[in-house]
Amino acid sequence: MLLALAAFQPLKADEGMWLPALISERIADMKAKGFKLSADDIYSINKASLKDAVVLFGSGCTGELVSDQGLLFTNHHCGYGYIQKHSSVEHDYLKDGFWAMNRSQELPNKGLSVSFLEYMEDVTSKVLKGYKPSMSERQRDSIIRVNSQRLTAAAMAKGKGLNANVEGLYYGNQYFLFVFKVFKDVRLVGAPPSSIGKFGGDTDNWMWPRHTGDFSIFRVYADKENNPAEYSEENVPYRPKKFFKISLGGVKEGDFTFVYGCPGSTKEYVTSDEVRYTAEVSDPQKIALRTQRLDIQKKYMSQNQAVRIQYSSKNASVANAWKKWQGEEKGIKKMKTVESKKAYEKRFKEWAKGNRYNGVLEKLEALYAERNPYFLAYEYYTETIRTIELLNLASNVTSHLRSFDAKNNYTESFFKDYYQPIDEEIFVAMVTSFNNNMEERFKPQYLKDALKKYGSVEEWKEYIFKNSLFTDKAKVLALTEKDLDKAKSDPAFEMFEAFYHWYNSELRPTINRLNSEIRVAYRDYMQGQMDFEKNKQFYPDANLTLRVAYGHIKGFSPADAIYYKPFSTLKGIIEKDNPDIFDYNIPQKLRDIYAEGGHEAQPVCFLATNHTTGGNSGSPVLDANGNLIGINFDRVWEGTMSDIAYDPEICRNISLDVRYVLFNIEHIGGAKYLLDEMVFVK
Ligand code: ARG
Ligand code: ASP
């Protein structure tokens, strides 16, 4: 029994976000786990490879090409801002969805670009040319800057629409040049209604079972020579070197799968001190502060339909990290990451005696001990004082008095989504928390004076909201350049400034100095870890550069007696459907289609063990043959500690089954013509 089981076990845990250019180092492991293609199929500079079908979408998501006509899939939450910009009361594409019925109906998106990776190259020695170990950090930085500029300029001069940057990997032990082709004419082709694309809303965010149809469709346009070009009516659909074929065969538990995309940021190699700070100090404090804010927002949102709409997006963004941090805190505790890192550090210190890494951990410990109180004060400030909307308005408007139109556009959109009772209550809660929890030595004199003057936070709040001109939209709109003095003596502006000044003078210089020392020490510690564990294959922390993560389709057990199957279906959407609950109110059309029968088993989402993070949203999820089986969009909250430590038992990425995308295009969008340009495999 055990033996038979062992045969199906992967060789190693499915951890890692690997550089495509170095994927040959992983290919044996990938093949052992079921991968059917070669390293060259994933990444090649001599022939078209899968990398040519993957893009960085905007500046924080991933997308993939699915036709030879530049058709692109990404997430609904990645296209959200663009869909919203095209929406009005008459055409509410967020609410109703949007479907271009032909090319001429596709909508251009100012500011949106997609970047294809042309190639990546190890340029460590070129970047460090001229550097000697006797030099100071500042000299090192400036040498790196100058060399990098030369490299990127040379790379960019080689063609139209090229962009290049040099990125440090492993804390600056290695440098890679990344050269991209950037397309700026990207048009919206289709999006489901939010009741499908955001189904489950924040209730289901970071959760399994999940039923969100989180996709949107765009098309990349190029000039007649197939080169990047600014938007023009003359442009034609881009003909990519490669696009993904779509698998209709479905997936089953245990199947090999990989994700090709742009993960944003991880910190897998930090010390136990950093992990403890994150999981035991920072996360819990920030969660508690956000719980207060969310409760206040929700109280007013549940009483008033207009307020619910005003605060739904704000509430969602506050809740997103709030939920993620809870998973991270819990996961780190459960994995005992602090303890295991401590044990590792003990062994490392033993080993380092007598080599050049001797003392590096002790140095990091001292730096953290000094930095953390300051950093916590800073985080506390950003999660309290900086969340008071009125103060932010006062500051933004005052610093933009000269650009009258920009100021007034901002003011209009601010008041469209502003509900003062929420802000007043948040003011009291956040200032009270700040006063109760900030270390005495850090408290700004301004705070102490104000509390003495007004007697209580409540009275202070009353004074500010009664006397600030910024609570009055008409008055804010009327402000001109000439009113600078008036704006600057406003109590809301004064309060913002006083705290900002405190942060800039009391916290920021120390934090910056210590952070750069920590960064330098990590360069040593990272190299030390690689020398200490000669046989381990390391992957660099995520930094929004293209990576491959591979694993397999798999359910998990989040708690005793619970097992989560890795697949969800349309039947589950109907079970959740509830016209009275905003997050679960599906379109009538979907109810009608379901009622026709035959769609119960329609696949919707699936779980896998791919190691992903923020930025991987929209990434293609591929099968062993490199065919598209899904679109990545989330992780389970119980596994969000994967940014720090990956647990193969719990960490799961959540993908939308591509067959649900096709279902929506056909049945909800009535845009079956789009399927004609895709290529399907069984
Ligand atoms: N949790 C996902 C991510 O981190 C999706 C967020 C968007 N969805 C939402 N309901 N807020 O980006
Ligand atoms: N939802 C994330 C994103 O938008 C993905 C994740 O954190 O797993 O990139």
Side-chain angles (χ1 to χ4, degrees), residues 550-570:
Y550 60 92
H552 47 285
I553 311 276
K554 203 172 177 200
F556 77 109
S557 170
D560 183 40
I562 305 175
Y563 179 74
Y564 281 151
K565 291 186 204 167
F567 304 108
S568 66
T569 61
L570 192 51

Side-chain angles (χ1 to χ4, degrees), residues 532-553:
F532 180 46
E533 291 181 284
K534 280 269 182 243
N535 293 326
K536 178 173 161 182
Q537 278 204 341
F538 286 79
Y539 56 92
D541 269 322
N543 59 353
L544 214 59
T545 59
L546 203 55
R547 304 295 176 93
V548 172
Y550 60 92
H552 47 285
I553 311 276

Side-chain angles (χ1 to χ4, degrees), residues 77 206 612-617 633-635:
H77 80 260
W206 301 111
T612 55
T613 187
N616 267 124
S617 275
F633 70 96
D634 210 3
R635 281 170 287 163

Side-chain angles (χ1 to χ4, degrees), residues 196 199 204 209-213 568-570 572-573 576 604-605 660:
I196 287 176
F199 179 77
D204 283 6
R210 189 65 161 277
H211 300 86
T212 312
S568 66
T569 61
L570 192 51
I573 294 183
K576 283 180 181 173
V604 176
C605 295
Y660 189 51

Side-chain angles (χ1 to χ4, degrees), residues 60-62 75 77-78 205-206 210 214 262 264 320 324 612-618 632-636 640 642-643 652-654:
C61 277
T62 308
N75 288 146
H77 80 260
C78 295
N205 190 25
W206 301 111
R210 189 65 161 277
D214 198 344
C262 310
N320 195 39
K324 193 207 138 168
T612 55
T613 187
N616 267 124
S617 275
N632 185 73
F633 70 96
D634 210 3
R635 281 170 287 163
V636 299
T640 50
S642 64
D643 290 349
R652 296 291 178 270
N653 64 314
I654 305 179

